Amino acid sequence: MKKVFIFTGITDHAENDREFVIGKLKEHNMEYSRKLTSDVDLIFCVGGDGTLLKLVQQLDFPTIPICGINTGHLGFFQEVSMDNVDVFLDRFNNNEIIVQPYNIVKATINTKYETLTFHALNEFVVRSRTNNLIHLSVSINNSFIEDYSGDGVLVSSPAGSTAYNYSLGGSIVDPRLNLLQLTPMAPMNTKTYRSLTSSILLPEDDKIIIEPEDERSKSLLILFDSEDKVVTDIKSIILTLSKRKIQLVRFGDLTFWDKIKDKYL
Ligand code: NAP
Ligand code: MN
């Protein structure tokens, strides 16, 4: 008997949604698991893209397949709707589901006192805490690239390319590609401060190293998916594509580019 865990957002309809899905599991002879134990076969994530971001942060990027059930607008990560849960569960019972791996960004922050590690499905942002410029030295692997001056920088996974990255003028990346995108936020480009003004794309094994260049830039706001934190006494931040991936269920007929067309054009 297949075992399924259900994750919902905090909304008025979350409890009703959960009861509805539990009812469907019973009808299809599957077991509802109240906890995410290692023998769970599938995680249902009921909500929008933001709900999946919460799930991965709260459950520490589980490797069990995740199936998004969309209850909002067209979700990038959700492939099933409340109307076709039955069809999906029939396929799942027959072991006919397809999963797609999704890359995640890993950030390691070395401060004067400790080392902090973060993972993000969409993006990791390093940003000024105030209305003042920050100055960051940006290196790729062992090569120094630039003295960046501006609001901050965003490092996006392919999945995150359609979110904050896109609003900043970054490129849309098909999630089947394994790469990192570094996008500047309001880069200064004058005779005093020269920064790259476009995104750059890096292959999967490359490493981005960011180091504060002045006292003010050692204390920064960092954002990872929908979470945030102020980190002080920063010495360096290292960003890579994690070896870990999450597995998202593919179900509908829409391709990635169909979704782009539906959501943006
Ligand atoms: P939110 O403030 O409630 O909404 C952010 C919006 O982005 C929602 O419409 C969300 O979709 C959508 N979204 C999330 N991930 C996406 C993706 N990979 N591709 C396309 N759209 C996506 O916050 P949230 O729902 O918790 O999402 C957090 C994300 O918001 C962050 O990771 C960041 O990428 C994004 N964000 C964007 C801006 C900006 O564009 N200026 C600023 C801050 C944060 P749903 O409605 O389905 O949840
Ligand atoms: Mn949201």
Side-chain angles (χ1 to χ4, degrees):
M1 198 193 242
K2 290 200 181 349
K3 225 173 159 174
V4 180
F5 176 78
I6 304 170
F7 185 95
T8 57
I10 303 164
T11 58
D12 295 343
H13 49 84
E15 266 325 295
N16 285 342
D17 293 345
R18 179 187 298 274
E19 289 308 320
F20 176 84
V21 178
I22 292 173
K24 291 291 174 194
L25 292 176
K26 283 201 189 112
E27 282 173 32
H28 289 261
N29 203 23
M30 292 178 196
E31 189 183 339
Y32 163 57
S33 178
R34 283 179 189 280
K35 288 197 174 144
L36 183 60
T37 44
S38 58
D39 58 343
V40 162
D41 299 287
L42 181 81
I43 301 171
F44 268 136
C45 175
V46 189
D49 290 332
T51 317
L52 180 72
L53 297 171
K54 288 211 170 55
L55 183 159
V56 294
Q57 292 293 341
Q58 285 177 23
L59 304 178
D60 192 24
F61 296 84
T63 50
I64 296 165
I66 303 168
C67 175
I69 303 180
N70 197 16
T71 58
H73 309 110
L74 174 84
F76 266 97
F77 298 121
Q78 291 80 29
E79 297 260 320
V80 174
S81 68
M82 284 295 196
D83 300 336
N84 57 22
V85 172
D86 281 310
V87 185
F88 170 76
L89 287 175
D90 282 335
R91 281 201 212 164
F92 178 51
N93 251 338
N94 294 331
N95 299 318
E96 287 170 359
I97 62 161
I98 303 163
V99 292
Q100 186 179 337
Y102 274 73
N103 282 296
I104 54 187
V105 178
K106 180 181 177 187
T108 307
I109 307 183
N110 298 306
T111 76
K112 205 167 153 188
Y113 308 104
E114 59 186 338
T115 300
L116 305 165
T117 307
F118 301 89
H119 290 89
L121 174 58
N122 268 352
E123 76 283 289
F124 187 87
V125 176
V126 177
R127 206 168 74 181
S128 170
R129 292 172 62 186
T130 64
N131 200 20
N132 295 109
L133 284 178
I134 54 170
H135 305 283
L136 304 169
S137 141
V138 179
S139 304
I140 293 168
N141 303 325
N142 296 319
S143 310
F144 166 75
I145 304 298
E146 65 167 340
D147 291 315
Y148 165 87
S149 298
D151 284 357
V153 294
L154 178 148
V155 176
S156 164
S157 69
S161 68
T162 46
Y164 200 174
N165 171 71
Y166 185 65
S167 306
L168 292 168
S171 293
I172 294 177
V173 179
D174 188 313
R176 288 171 299 183
L177 293 167
N178 301 317
L179 56 82
L180 277 177
Q181 181 166 184
L182 174 71
T183 300
M185 304 169 83
M188 284 286 290
N189 202 25
T190 62
K191 279 187 176 163
T192 324
Y193 300 119
R194 286 238 168 263
S195 315
L196 286 176
T197 55
S198 76
S199 285
I200 59 173
L201 301 175
L202 304 167
E204 57 188 309
D205 294 321
D206 275 11
K207 191 158 78 174
I208 302 166
I209 301 136
I210 293 170
E211 289 160 311
E213 291 191 315
D214 61 354
E215 214 38 50
R216 187 198 289 150
S217 310
K218 288 182 183 167
S219 174
L220 298 169
L221 176 65
I222 60 151
L223 311 173
F224 45 110
D225 296 338
S226 43
E227 317 273 315
D228 59 85
K229 190 176 165 67
V230 170
V231 183
T232 56
D233 297 294
I234 297 174
K235 288 167 96 175
S236 66
I237 304 175
I238 297 156
L239 294 134
T240 54
L241 212 54
S242 175
K243 297 285 172 229
R244 289 161 72 179
K245 290 186 184 197
I246 61 159
Q247 310 291 330
L248 287 188
V249 168
R250 300 267 0 238
F251 178 70
D253 297 326
L254 293 183
T255 66
F256 175 70
W257 295 108
D258 290 331
K259 288 187 189 175
I260 295 294
K261 199 169 71 186
D262 276 17
K263 200 152 176 163
Y264 293 109
L265 299 172

